[in-house]
Amino acid sequence: MCKLAGMDGKQELKWLAWELTSQCNMACVHCRSSSEFTSPIGAFNIAAAEKLLNDIAAIASPVIVLSGGEPLLRDDLFQIAKMGTNRGFRMAMATNGLLVDDEVCRKIKESGINIVSMSLDGHTSKIHDNFRGQSGAFDAVMRAAQIFRKHGIKFIVNSSFTKRNQEYIKDTYELAKKIGAAAWYMFLIVPTGRGEEIMNELVSKEDYEEILEWHYRMERREGEILVRPTCAPQYYRIWNAKSREEGLDSKRRSLSFSTGGGKGCIAGQSILFINSEGDVYPCSYFPISAGNVFKQSIGEIWKNSGLFEDLRDFKKYGGKCGRCKYLGVCGGCRARSYAVEGDYFAEEPFCSYIPKAVQQII
């Protein structure tokens, strides 16, 4: 069996997503927080934001992604970003692109935000706008990409897929390259928040495997931009197995703003998510809170949360995940297991691989 990463008791926080507000100017079909324009702005004023940044700095120096909702709806976004930059954090921002203009780009650079991510869920306005629930969303991304290029701001394209748009994965990837993305991240969605309403649209486990096999072949050829399947931990099984079969180096390129995880599911192991009310979660898609930063320090939660301890103890993982030799590099998506099975220790529900240990029982 592969070495069980995370079992040595040393957990370094490398990447943190911070939802500054749940308010949003879109209503995407898969939104993990069911955000919309009437959603609350959030509990973090400047003083609370500064305290949180100080608490984070006391335990780690992670990448911090300022997200939402739509973070550009907050007037103090860039003040918070600047505070993070001044404390030595690598700051990033996630936006839907609607509010991006020359003035926003000037503030992005002044605040020290080094990279931005945008979502693009199809290669045409018909596909993307349907997924995002708003006419003009596609045009906004195209316009934002052009403005980012003009100002020399690096950006990542995140693309989410279900049955309604999975046939356009290759086209979407090619468009991300065309508009100048530094990286393209392919998400196969986890059905949380509003995503629970499209449970019947989840990509099948058979198609899931085929899509990840395609990604492996594509990534091996891709030399211009970085590519990553996200919330698809079984890709690390495919990458390692095929690299070994083909006699190729299994090392992969990485952004300096990546999660820093050389394995599949790293929820609560090297990453976490803080929502706009201060609740701390293993990742953006995991609906069980490990604590609240208005009641405990982030250091206490990171080091002592029972939920985080569970996720770091691979011996507790059940089903075929618990008997799989790739457990240490994959781990299965714990958020997806909880969403589908109601048990975060359950086996990854969208993995078709059958470990030899399980085959012998069958």
Side-chain angles (χ1 to χ4, degrees), residues 137-148:
F138 178 84
D139 292 339
V141 173
M142 297 299 105
R143 182 175 61 253
Q146 183 180 24
I147 298 172
F148 285 146

Side-chain angles (χ1 to χ4, degrees), residues 179-192:
I179 65 175
W184 178 67
Y185 290 176
M186 178 184 75
F187 285 72
L188 294 171
I189 74 164
V190 179
T192 57

Side-chain angles (χ1 to χ4, degrees), residues 220-264:
R220 280 296 182 188
R221 295 190 302 267
E222 179 55 63
E224 295 178 38
I225 68 172
L226 291 169
V227 291
R228 286 286 184 279
T230 305
C231 299
Q234 47 278 58
Y235 184 67
Y236 286 79
R237 162 180 55 83
I238 291 172
W239 178 268
N240 280 274
K242 287 195 168 295
S243 296
R244 187 166 54 251
E245 289 172 9
E246 298 171 6
L248 299 173
D249 188 350
S250 62
K251 186 176 181 180
R252 302 168 70 202
R253 295 179 299 148
S254 181
L255 282 170
S256 61
F257 283 78
S258 72
T259 56
K263 62 182 288 292

Side-chain angles (χ1 to χ4, degrees), residues 26 30 142:
M26 287 191 185
H30 63 303
M142 297 299 105

Side-chain angles (χ1 to χ4, degrees), residues 273-285:
F273 169 72
I274 303 172
N275 77 1
S276 60
E277 300 303 317
D279 293 312
V280 179
Y281 299 89
C283 74
S284 303
Y285 302 100

Side-chain angles (χ1 to χ4, degrees), residues 281-349:
Y281 299 89
C283 74
S284 303
Y285 302 100
F286 205 111
I288 302 176
S289 173
N292 186 286
V293 297
F294 291 108
K295 299 176 181 178
Q296 303 164 270
S297 73
I298 192 67
E300 289 178 293
I301 296 170
W302 180 251
K303 294 174 183 177
N304 302 321
S305 162
L307 174 59
F308 286 170
E309 288 178 358
D310 273 351
L311 295 174
R312 296 164 185 171
D313 187 354
F314 292 178
K315 294 177 182 178
K316 293 183 178 180
Y317 286 23
K320 63 184 182 182
C321 284
R323 302 177 65 84
C324 184
K325 71 176 183 178
Y326 293 106
L327 175 59
V329 295
C330 171
C333 176
R334 296 301 99 207
R336 188 177 288 111
S337 292
Y338 185 79
V340 176
E341 305 294 343
D343 177 5
Y344 56 77
F345 286 135
E347 65 186 48
E348 159 67 63

Side-chain angles (χ1 to χ4, degrees), residues 17-50:
W18 181 7
E19 179 190 69
L20 288 180
T21 178
S22 60
Q23 188 179 38
C24 192
N25 48 4
M26 287 191 185
C28 305
V29 297
H30 63 303
C31 181
R32 51 147 192 86
S33 62
S34 302
S35 292
E36 55 191 6
F37 197 72
T38 57
S39 297
I41 194 71
F44 286 96
N45 56 26
I46 286 296
E50 185 171 26

Side-chain angles (χ1 to χ4, degrees), residues 59-124:
I59 64 163
S61 185
V63 171
I64 298 180
V65 181
L66 303 177
S67 71
E70 173 51 58
L72 287 171
L73 290 172
R74 281 194 64 138
D75 294 336
D76 56 4
L77 164 66
F78 297 109
Q79 185 179 352
I80 294 171
K82 184 66 173 178
M83 290 192 300
T85 299
N86 289 343
R87 285 160 176 77
F89 295 121
R90 290 166 291 165
M91 303 301 292
M93 182 185 75
T95 178
N96 57 36
L98 276 176
L99 300 177
V100 173
D101 58 19
D102 290 326
E103 179 64 11
V104 164
C105 287
R106 181 184 67 79
K107 291 179 179 179
I108 286 173
K109 298 182 84 169
E110 286 181 353
S111 68
I113 291 173
N114 284 280
I115 198 163
V116 177
S117 68
M118 295 190 295
S119 295
L120 178 65
D121 305 313
H123 67 300
T124 66

